[in-house]
Amino acid sequence: MPTNQPTNQPTNQPTNQPTNQPTEYVFQTDWFSHNIPSLDIIFNQLKPTRILEIGSFEGRSTLHFMEKMSEYAETIEIYCIDSWEGGLEHKENWNMDTVEQVFEHNMHLAIQQFPRTTLFKCKGYSHPKMMELLVEGKKGYFDFVYVDGSHEAPDVLLDALLAHQLVRVGGVIAFDDYLWSPKSWNEADHYLLVKPAVDSYVNTYQRKVSVIQSLPTYQLYVVKIAE
Ligand SMILES: C[S@@+](CC[C@H](N)C(=O)[O-])C[C@H]1O[C@@H](n2cnc3c(N)ncnc32)[C@H](O)[C@@H]1O
């Protein structure tokens, strides 16, 4: 599978995967599974079929979304935006070229397992990629947007504003790591946190969003109620 996939091209095309690749999913870490109970509650009610994911890494969250949607959806679309350069917190410890290859490997298997899925790999920074989707006419196109890319507040703030444009009224935006902090909260540098950015979005868009109150808030889930 080419690693420099043209923007927004489906990856469920015949590929040239080497035959000596492992035939099982490969994951080197798990930053996702603890969120599944809350996300499944949202999916069981919302039943999204068009998802935008900001930050795919090795595809663990992507795979879960495909698996969950396949329980009810005839056709599934999932758009994966990632620079595959890593965020600040990844740059030292991860070889992001390997991470991208693992994503390719996992998605190659996932498309075979869930063939009703069309998967779009959008390699690049989230802001220009999300703007490209808007230019393509995808305003209000998505049922669910999963924001798990950069954790720097200015990046998250624009991710949130663009996600608001891309999700439909009634759809949900999920912000991973809303309560994450690399330092204790009284020493935290707000520039490096998700929460201040998400709070700015939610406070500014007060008339247009509703925070789901009934779920744990390590992630924050926001329903778009107006354009
Ligand atoms: C925490 S990982 C995503 C984990 C994944 N959602 C999961 O649960 O398995 C964050 C990803 O966001 C990507 N990323 C960081 N900043 C980004 C940016 N500004 N634009 C696009 N992707 C970015 C990184 O390359 C990394 O792969």
Side-chain angles (χ1 to χ4, degrees):
M1 185 180 295
T3 49
N4 283 323
Q5 192 89 24
T7 306
N8 298 357
Q9 291 304 300
T11 58
N12 58 348
Q13 303 296 324
T15 64
N16 297 321
Q17 176 105 345
T19 50
N20 61 353
Q21 287 286 310
T23 55
E24 301 295 332
Y25 292 109
V26 174
F27 294 107
Q28 305 177 83
T29 189
D30 183 2
W31 293 317
F32 180 72
S33 296
H34 60 282
N35 300 309
I36 289 176
S38 295
L39 289 167
D40 279 359
I41 289 170
I42 292 171
F43 274 53
N44 289 340
Q45 196 175 336
L46 185 68
K47 297 205 172 358
T49 61
R50 294 170 174 173
I51 289 190
L52 171 61
E53 176 175 72
I54 315 302
S56 299
F57 201 69
E58 296 175 327
R60 184 182 280 275
S61 44
T62 325
L63 175 62
H64 178 76
F65 295 144
M66 288 163 70
E67 195 172 9
K68 186 68 192 161
M69 285 191 284
S70 74
E71 290 175 9
Y72 55 78
E74 283 303 314
T75 57
I76 295 165
E77 283 182 34
I78 184 157
Y79 288 68
C80 299
I81 296 178
D82 200 306
S83 61
W84 280 281
E85 289 182 3
L88 273 185
E89 63 279 19
H90 307 123
K91 288 196 190 292
E92 279 181 16
N93 301 326
W94 291 91
N95 178 331
M96 291 305 295
D97 290 338
T98 305
V99 168
E100 186 179 3
Q101 284 165 15
V102 169
F103 173 84
E104 295 275 350
H105 164 79
N106 287 335
M107 293 305 104
H108 181 85
L109 293 182
I111 292 295
Q112 290 169 2
Q113 188 178 353
F114 305 108
R116 285 173 284 148
T117 305
T118 307
L119 189 143
F120 298 82
K121 180 186 176 192
C122 311
K123 183 174 178 178
Y125 294 121
S126 57
H127 301 159
K129 288 294 166 192
M130 294 167 92
M131 288 176 201
E132 277 175 26
L133 292 173
L134 286 171
V135 170
E136 283 172 19
K138 294 209 163 45
K139 185 174 166 64
Y141 186 77
F142 295 96
D143 304 308
F144 181 83
V145 181
Y146 191 66
V147 182
D148 188 16
S150 169
H151 285 24
E152 291 175 60
D155 293 340
V156 179
L157 181 57
L158 191 48
D159 282 347
L161 300 180
L162 291 167
H164 188 92
Q165 296 300 311
L166 288 161
V167 78
R168 67 170 168 83
V169 173
V172 171
I173 307 172
F175 294 96
D176 187 45
D177 286 331
Y178 174 68
L179 290 186
W180 170 81
S181 175
K183 294 183 177 174
S184 67
W185 275 92
N186 54 1
E187 293 177 352
D189 174 356
H190 282 204
Y191 195 96
L192 301 177
L193 296 180
V194 171
K195 186 175 187 299
V198 175
D199 289 348
S200 299
Y201 159 61
V202 169
N203 290 334
T204 307
Y205 278 63
Q206 186 209 10
R207 296 181 187 178
K208 301 178 176 219
V209 298
S210 168
V211 173
I212 298 178
Q213 303 285 352
S214 54
L215 296 172
T217 48
Y218 182 76
Q219 295 194 321
L220 198 78
Y221 309 107
V222 176
V223 183
K224 174 172 168 177
I225 56 175
E227 281 299 338

